[in-house]
Amino acid sequence: MANVLFMTTEQFTNEFITLLSAKKSPSGLRERMRNVDVLIMDDIQFLSKTNATQEEFFHTFNKLHAENKQIVITSDKPPRELKTLEERIRTRLNAV
């Protein structure tokens, strides 16, 4: 049976920022997101503009992609139009 995680981008952002604000390690969040067979992220257009949040998502995406895991991203626009996302994230989303 596949290990599937569905998370809205808002949930991810809120949880990540809450951990950082409380000066807690995001290791539990990383563990949960990076040890799945399928990651479904809804509404990626709402990914926070903060560098730390985008950095965390970027490394999660790379790890799962390198392990040939399935990543499903939803958005109301194509990646090239998501100007709030760092270029390297838009490039990755366009490439897969």
Side-chain angles (χ1 to χ4, degrees):
M1 182 188 295
N3 182 10
V4 178
L5 174 63
F6 169 83
M7 183 177 275
T8 66
T9 302
E10 181 181 19
Q11 288 171 314
F12 163 70
T13 300
N14 289 342
E15 188 170 340
F16 185 71
I17 289 172
T18 298
L19 289 168
L20 293 182
S21 296
K23 298 186 186 210
K24 294 183 179 178
S25 170
S27 61
L29 176 62
R30 277 187 197 124
E31 175 93 14
R32 197 173 55 188
M33 292 184 71
R34 296 181 186 182
N35 292 303
V36 297
D37 300 309
V38 181
L39 174 64
I40 305 169
M41 289 287 294
D42 190 29
D43 292 329
I44 198 72
Q45 72 272 12
F46 296 125
L47 188 60
S48 172
K49 295 178 186 177
T50 65
N51 290 341
T53 306
Q54 291 200 26
E55 186 80 14
E56 189 67 28
F57 175 77
F58 178 77
H59 290 297
T60 297
F61 182 95
N62 283 343
K63 181 181 183 298
L64 294 173
H65 187 265
E67 294 175 355
N68 293 314
K69 304 296 182 174
Q70 188 169 2
I71 306 164
V72 179
I73 305 288
T74 69
S75 176
D76 63 356
K77 299 176 185 174
R80 70 182 172 279
E81 292 180 21
L82 300 174
K83 302 301 181 191
T84 59
L85 294 182
E86 292 179 4
E87 178 65 26
R88 64 185 180 161
I89 294 174
R90 287 196 312 264
T91 301
R92 296 257 187 324
L93 296 178
N94 274 324
V96 292

